[in-house]
Amino acid sequence: MNEDNVILIVDDVSINIQMIKEILNEDKVYKFIFATNGNQAVAVTRKAKPDLILLDIIMSGMNGFEVCEVLKASSETADIPIIFLTAKTESEAIVRGFELGAVDYITKPFQKDELLARVRTHLKLRQSERALRENKKNLERLVQEELEKRRKQEELLIQKSKLESLGRLAAGIAHEINQPLAGIAMGVENILLRTVNKRIDKEYLKHECEFLLQDVDRIKHIIEHIRIFSREQQSVFFENVDIKEVVENALLMVGKQYENHNIKFLLELEENIAPVFGNKYKLEQALLNLLSNSKDALEDKSRFETKLIKIKTYQDTEKICLEVEDNGKGISEEDVEKLFEPFFTTKSPDKGTGLGLSITYGIIKEMRGEISVQSKAGEYSRIKISLPKIINQ
Ligand SMILES: Nc1ncnc2c1ncn2[C@@H]1O[C@H](COP(=O)(O)OP(=O)(O)OP(=O)(O)O)[C@@H](O)[C@H]1O
Ligand SMILES: [Mg+2]
């Protein structure tokens, strides 16, 4: 038994206190404190926080029941076990004592063995209860730590994924700019060649410069778009958005890169479609995420197979729809259910984080839209986004 166990004995007859103390002293490991009335008992308990209280019921002034009630009402003292001291005949009192939260009772006159046994038992119980509580606390702390660790890991992953998609976008943009740049280089070379050969005339020069300017414009256009795109991604600004423009801008960013991967685009963009309400750069990000998934899904196809991505926009009475379909490896029925969950991925860690679709989902929900998927493994995937249509504007 723990040497630190402090027992409070409350009785208004001091000879009783002496008797109890003598019996319990056989164990030689308890410290005793005393109270001879109810008020004193409450005050001593609050101050000393004993491990066990032996409480006489009948006392003048505040009786044992009242002391018990006061102690149980305060969270500081509520869990200190109380054993009532009663006369043998007081069976009603015993019931009342239990109702008030006592753990046990001992009848007077005291039997030595019974008193020792009950006190030992309840002190032991209290000790195990404490140990349990301590364990529970430790467990909760461990769980908390584990959760925190996981949250940090997820944060890192999100950070990594943002960097990766930035990297992917940068690679795409390089392709987009390379094309017109190659055009410019060729044009300038042609002009130089003709100058050397003295076969240059005004008409030719004018014609060639017009071509050059077209390419310069294209590069300017791409760079301007990237600038706004990266800035407006963070914005919460909503406006009427033309979905066709969103598709065209996304292709401006990655179209050539995909074509270099032998991917063919099939565009079915309905003209004069009603606008939707949202942020066009976020919507473009959503579409870029879908396109990037399609590109990955088409990767394993051989050079001799056609790699297709179909982008379709159309409207019905209430909605504007955008579909992205590819004839890539498709999605198994089992995976379809988890598709929009953050961190769900079937790709290797250097290829995918599993955030693309969950981010897309968030963007579409923010615009009060719906996103769904249809697929057949080995054949195709089709992601459909529908957004509320803005009418009469
Ligand atoms: N068009 C598709 N064809 C086949 N599988 C797809 C397609 N789109 C999504 N998936 C499946 O859904 C998973 C989750 O896609 P999501 O875009 O959320 O993450 P990811 O592409 O794996 O990684 P991240 O987009 O973060 O780089 C993918 O790993 C893939 O298995
Ligand atoms: Mg993805």
Side-chain angles (χ1 to χ4, degrees):
M1 189 96 6
N2 192 333
E3 275 206 44
D4 290 326
N5 279 321
V6 175
I7 301 175
L8 167 65
I9 306 171
V10 187
D11 202 312
D12 54 356
V13 182
S14 53
I15 190 119
N16 281 344
I17 295 183
Q18 280 312 314
M19 219 157 66
I20 294 173
K21 189 184 155 191
E22 244 157 62
I23 295 175
L24 293 180
N25 246 343
E26 191 173 304
D27 279 346
K28 295 196 178 68
V29 286
Y30 309 130
K31 282 185 188 142
F32 298 99
I33 47 181
F34 315 103
T36 49
N37 63 53
N39 282 323
Q40 204 186 357
V42 171
V44 168
T45 304
R46 282 192 182 141
K47 195 161 167 236
K49 307 270 160 47
D51 297 288
L52 183 68
I53 303 173
L54 302 176
L55 182 57
D56 189 22
I57 297 176
I58 300 159
M59 292 182 289
S60 57
M62 200 183 199
N63 69 26
F65 293 141
E66 288 162 339
V67 172
C68 183
E69 252 173 324
V70 172
L71 294 180
K72 293 295 166 195
S74 151
S75 63
E76 292 248 307
T77 49
D79 59 351
I80 300 173
I82 294 175
I83 299 178
F84 274 120
L85 310 173
T86 86
K88 233 190 188 122
T89 47
E90 296 172 323
S91 75
E92 251 176 54
I94 292 167
V95 174
R96 175 130 172 78
F98 279 126
E99 277 170 3
L100 288 175
V103 291
D104 211 341
Y105 66 95
I106 298 171
T107 49
K108 296 178 197 172
F110 304 120
Q111 305 288 313
K112 187 180 162 196
D113 289 343
E114 187 193 349
L115 182 59
L116 272 169
R118 289 193 195 248
V119 165
R120 284 175 193 152
T121 304
H122 286 292
L123 283 173
K124 245 188 221 152
L125 264 177
R126 173 143 168 93
Q127 247 173 18
S128 357
E129 236 171 59
R130 270 196 183 149
L132 267 179
R133 220 174 299 148
E134 198 57 29
N135 274 348
K136 195 174 156 229
K137 237 193 254 162
N138 281 341
L139 209 66
E140 278 168 0
R141 192 173 42 80
L142 277 179
V143 170
Q144 211 52 43
E145 278 172 11
E146 188 58 35
L147 281 178
E148 181 63 10
K149 210 161 94 192
R150 228 185 259 178
R151 201 184 53 76
K152 283 210 177 113
Q153 269 169 354
E154 290 192 347
E155 241 168 43
L156 271 179
L157 272 176
I158 292 175
Q159 212 48 39
K160 181 166 164 261
S161 147
K162 274 188 187 155
L163 281 177
E164 269 166 12
S165 48
L166 205 66
R168 261 188 306 228
L169 205 59
I173 289 159
H175 276 279
E176 303 307 311
I177 292 180
N178 237 353
Q179 202 94 1
L181 211 55
I184 294 171
M186 207 157 77
V188 174
E189 258 172 48
N190 280 342
I191 294 171
L192 269 180
L193 205 67
R194 290 224 178 188
T195 320
V196 172
N197 296 341
K198 299 207 166 64
R199 285 200 299 119
I200 198 143
D201 57 67
K202 262 191 192 158
E203 217 29 55
Y204 172 80
L205 209 54
K206 183 168 172 272
H207 184 73
E208 204 60 13
C209 283
E210 269 166 12
F211 267 127
L212 287 179
L213 278 180
Q214 266 178 25
D215 280 337
V216 170
D217 273 348
R218 184 170 165 79
I219 294 176
K220 257 163 86 181
H221 189 48
I222 292 171
I223 288 175
E224 184 58 19
H225 183 69
I226 294 163
R227 267 194 18 218
I228 306 173
F229 181 82
S230 43
R231 190 182 63 218
E232 291 297 317
Q233 280 274 305
Q234 321 299 331
S235 140
V236 286
F237 179 65
F238 271 34
E239 61 185 336
N240 282 2
V241 175
D242 175 9
I243 194 106
K244 188 162 173 263
E245 192 192 320
V246 171
V247 175
E248 284 164 354
N249 281 337
L251 290 178
L252 182 71
M253 299 267 260
V254 297
K256 284 287 175 303
Q257 179 200 10
Y258 283 35
E259 279 163 20
N260 286 343
H261 278 81
N262 291 323
I263 293 170
K264 290 218 159 20
F265 282 105
L266 237 155
L267 303 182
E268 289 180 22
L269 310 178
E270 198 174 304
E271 290 294 335
N272 301 323
I273 211 162
V276 294
F277 192 60
N279 177 304
K280 62 179 172 182
Y281 299 99
K282 282 189 185 170
L283 198 53
E284 186 177 327
Q285 178 66 63
L287 175 57
L288 284 171
N289 289 349
L290 300 187
L291 293 177
S292 144
N293 284 344
S294 287
K295 177 165 163 276
D296 288 344
L298 289 165
E299 196 155 67
D300 293 341
K301 268 190 154 28
S302 79
R303 293 176 45 206
F304 308 108
E305 290 170 288
T306 332
K307 300 178 180 177
L308 266 185
I309 298 180
K310 185 162 108 183
I311 306 177
K312 189 175 167 186
T313 59
Y314 56 97
Q315 59 186 333
D316 61 22
T317 47
E318 289 166 4
K319 290 193 172 76
I320 304 288
C321 301
L322 167 67
E323 284 180 11
V324 175
E325 182 179 326
D326 63 69
N327 64 341
K329 63 173 156 210
I331 306 158
S332 75
E333 268 181 47
E334 204 188 319
D335 287 351
V336 163
E337 320 221 316
K338 302 176 231 150
L339 221 58
F340 299 106
E341 282 173 20
F343 302 107
F344 171 74
T345 181
T346 57
K347 299 170 192 171
S348 60
D350 58 321
K351 281 222 147 155
T353 327
L355 282 173
L357 281 179
S358 76
I359 289 169
T360 300
Y361 182 90
I363 293 172
I364 300 308
K365 282 288 155 190
E366 200 179 42
M367 292 177 64
R368 300 180 186 284
E370 301 289 333
I371 180 164
S372 62
V373 51
Q374 267 186 318
S375 178
K376 194 157 183 206
E379 291 191 15
Y380 76 96
S381 301
R382 185 189 306 131
I383 310 277
K384 177 177 170 180
I385 289 172
S386 60
L387 294 159
K389 178 166 156 182
I390 304 286
I391 305 167
N392 293 335
Q393 283 208 33

